[in-house]
Amino acid sequence: MRRRTGRQLGAVLAASVLTVSLAACTTGGTAAGTATAPPTTDDAAGAPTTAAPLTGELVVLAAASLQNTFEELGERLEEQNPGLSVTFSFAASSTLAQQAAAGAPADVLATASTSTMQDAAEVTGEASVFAHNSLVVVAPAGNPGDVTGLADLADPTRTVALCALEVPCGAAAQKAFDAAGLTPAPDTYEADVTATLTKVVLGEVDGALVYLTDARSAGDAVETFPFPESAQARNDYPIATLTAARNPAAARAFVDLVLSAEGQAVLVDAGFDGA
Amino acid sequence: MGTQHDAPRRGRYRVPPVGILVPAAVALAFLVLPFVALLDAAPWSALPGLVTSPAVREALWLSLRSASAATALSVLLGVPLAWVIARGDVPGAGLLRAVVTMPLVLPPVVGGVALLMLLGRRGLLGRHLEAWFGVTIPFTTLAVVIAATFVAMPFLIVSVDGALRSADSRMEEASATLGASRWYTFRRVTLPHVAPGIGAGAVLCFARALGEFGATITFAGNFPGTTRTMPLAVYLALEQDPDAAIALSLVLIAVSLGVLLLLRGRWLTGPLS
């Protein structure tokens, strides 16, 4: 009863948001000529990348694994638009999708899997996959447990950390083990990929499965071992603007930047596979 | 407001002043309404299935076992420490009192990190345990008990310390005058005297241990049957199935409330209330 009311309310909200945004699109289309008139002079003055200088605040909800790359892209967008301030909230994708669906005040959502993006489908525009992340086996510096590959994480005598199945990196890990025909032997299911990596950096476990990007960010604290089955367990990272975005122009610009050659270069540098 | 006026009013309902009643009602609403909302959101039809699933039974059983062990450990070690603080004539008892109650005010995750630095595989003590005995504490149920004891024992110590300090020490003095040793006096006079305080402390200690989350997930890890207690199960369920998280929360609330009601009734009726 209570839930149905909530869902109805959600549907009404979504419908009204959709109507408003559709209206905004059509009026935006006709108004574009007048609205972009002053910026055209700006363009002539030498700001070719943006149609109009963006102002105000842009709030981006992004998967924890995107922290380094997105912060860099956010800084670049701020440099291009001095009036704009970009704020990030990095957390587990599923948490962010729930927050977005519950009406968290934000403009952009980027998650670490398409299924978590689906959870927020009612409040997002069309999502575009902008990167892929693959898993690697990591061991603490010095490799005390003598770990060299995925099979060592299926060895009960070693101490192993994996992401919980409930979060994207855990689901991807399960796919990797399935592809390799192995039964994992974890001693702990960590709440997110960062916590999993921390257990390796602290030397509490002999080995773990984390994203290549996280392994790179840990530098010399971990040793990294790629494995062939990771190709079958790649995570797709989708990004979408929120239909209730308070700063839709900036939201669109950030998504465009992520998808642009410039954005893709930053992501590939960090270890992601481009879109 | 003297006793003469109170006597004939005994048993009759007395309305507190508005200046007290209003903030008291706001405080009560603030503490109770979140639970009302949880009850309102509960998936009642799916509840029996969610609550009796093997995963929930496993987590609840682990929580009850480890909270009981943490309470026993706290009574065994915490009562003597409380005695030392309250009666031991040690220098710097005030500082000691502050230090042992630190886990009460620190975020539990800080406790988890501290335990990891002490007892983890590369910890101050842990690396020797590993090298000499091949013992690793993280990722074991023992680690859950240690984490729970660390955050819960201060509740017992504060409670027993308070009981000792407010207790009349003349009986102990009389016992000493009659030739009893301090150890005999402690066992036969002091302990029975502060038993309600120990009981109340143990109840709080158990309830706190049952709800422990931060230190557990940081220090002990999270594996079904070994280290995944109810609070960890709630946190993980929230990632995928909020209904299951609500159901698990209700179970934990029911168990905690039951423990507090039953044991408080058992221990605290009598001389104190």
Side-chain angles (χ1 to χ4, degrees):
Chain A
M1 173 65 190
R2 159 82 176 77
R3 302 197 61 74
R4 197 192 300 151
T5 327
R7 209 162 284 154
Q8 278 169 348
L9 189 64
V12 170
L13 274 178
S16 49
V17 164
L18 197 65
T19 322
V20 169
S21 50
L22 278 176
C25 278
T26 38
T27 51
T30 48
T34 45
T36 45
T40 324
T41 47
D42 275 2
D43 277 357
T49 47
T50 45
L54 302 163
T55 54
E57 199 187 9
L58 172 69
V59 179
V60 178
L61 308 178
S65 45
L66 293 166
Q67 180 151 4
N68 294 338
T69 49
F70 268 34
E71 275 177 348
E72 183 174 343
L73 291 173
E75 276 168 28
R76 290 190 188 194
L77 198 65
E78 280 177 346
E79 276 166 24
Q80 290 161 10
N81 303 276
L84 183 71
S85 137
V86 187
T87 311
F88 291 101
S89 171
F90 296 105
S93 296
S94 32
T95 307
L96 294 173
Q98 280 165 24
Q99 288 174 354
D107 303 286
V108 175
L109 173 67
T111 65
S113 73
T114 42
S115 64
T116 42
M117 185 57 88
Q118 284 290 315
D119 294 343
E122 281 190 3
V123 296
T124 52
E126 200 179 329
S128 321
V129 172
F130 65 93
H132 310 277
N133 211 345
S134 52
L135 293 168
V136 288
V137 174
V138 284
N143 200 354
D146 211 8
V147 166
T148 55
L150 194 63
D152 296 320
L153 304 188
D155 172 4
T157 64
R158 289 190 171 90
T159 313
V160 171
L162 294 178
C163 293
L165 294 168
E166 287 83 352
V167 294
C169 64
Q174 188 56 49
K175 271 192 244 168
F177 283 109
D178 286 347
L182 292 167
T183 307
D187 295 270
T188 180
Y189 288 106
E190 295 295 306
D192 56 43
V193 67
T194 323
T196 311
L197 182 68
T198 302
K199 290 284 194 282
V200 180
V201 171
L202 290 176
E204 291 301 329
V205 294
D206 297 322
L209 265 189
V210 299
Y211 294 126
L212 174 60
T213 51
D214 292 287
R216 283 217 187 149
S217 72
D220 292 339
V222 300
E223 296 181 19
T224 303
F225 306 92
F227 59 95
E229 292 83 2
S230 71
Q232 285 150 65
R234 289 200 320 177
N235 264 23
D236 298 332
Y237 280 64
I239 189 167
T241 56
L242 297 180
T243 43
R246 291 166 307 172
N247 196 346
R252 193 66 251 162
F254 185 79
V255 172
D256 287 345
L257 175 62
V258 168
L259 293 167
S260 72
E262 182 188 359
Q264 292 290 304
V266 170
L267 288 158
V268 170
D269 272 354
F272 288 101
D273 299 321
Chain B
M1 278 297 159
T3 44
Q4 283 167 325
H5 290 283
D6 282 350
R9 283 185 179 183
R10 180 170 294 162
R12 216 201 304 167
Y13 181 67
R14 283 185 298 159
V15 181
V18 174
I20 291 177
L21 196 60
V22 170
V26 171
L28 184 68
F30 175 68
L31 294 177
V32 172
L33 281 182
F35 297 113
V36 174
L38 202 60
L39 287 172
D40 180 56
W44 291 106
S45 56
L47 206 57
L50 287 167
V51 163
T52 54
S53 74
V56 173
R57 284 207 309 254
E58 197 173 46
L60 183 60
W61 177 228
L62 176 68
S63 275
L64 292 174
R65 275 186 304 152
S66 48
S68 304
T71 307
L73 212 57
S74 297
V75 170
L76 217 60
L77 305 174
V79 171
L81 181 54
W83 188 88
V84 168
I85 294 171
R87 294 280 159 87
D89 296 326
V90 286
L95 180 66
L96 198 58
R97 196 171 275 129
V99 168
V100 301
T101 49
M102 271 228 297
L104 269 181
V105 293
L106 280 178
V109 64
V110 172
V113 173
L115 286 171
L116 212 47
M117 293 306 123
L118 178 71
L119 295 170
R121 280 174 106 178
R122 291 185 179 174
L124 200 61
L125 272 178
R127 56 177 169 237
H128 300 303
L129 290 176
E130 167 115 31
W132 296 340
F133 311 106
V135 172
T136 319
I137 292 177
F139 316 121
T140 63
T141 304
L142 176 62
V144 177
V145 174
I146 291 174
T149 308
F150 183 78
V151 296
M153 196 198 282
F155 283 85
L156 183 104
I157 293 175
V158 165
S159 176
V160 177
D161 177 35
L164 279 169
R165 282 199 290 162
S166 62
D168 192 346
S169 60
R170 276 178 301 180
M171 303 263 269
E172 292 168 29
E173 282 157 22
S175 167
T177 323
L178 294 170
S181 70
R182 289 191 94 181
W183 175 234
Y184 185 87
T185 304
F186 173 72
R187 280 188 300 128
R188 302 303 295 268
V189 180
T190 314
L191 270 190
H193 206 65
V194 296
I198 298 175
V203 169
L204 279 178
C205 180
F206 183 83
R208 177 66 189 87
L210 203 59
E212 162 41 40
F213 171 78
T216 310
I217 201 163
T218 311
F219 172 58
N222 170 37
F223 192 80
T226 317
T227 50
R228 183 176 296 169
T229 56
M230 283 293 280
L232 270 58
V234 172
Y235 180 72
L236 273 184
L238 205 52
E239 289 289 327
Q240 235 179 15
D241 186 356
D243 274 359
I246 292 168
L248 291 179
S249 303
L250 289 179
V251 174
L252 202 55
I253 288 168
V255 172
S256 306
L257 196 61
V259 165
L260 288 174
L261 282 176
L262 274 174
L263 294 186
R264 276 187 83 89
R266 163 81 179 77
W267 283 103
L268 285 188
T269 45
L272 285 187
S273 68

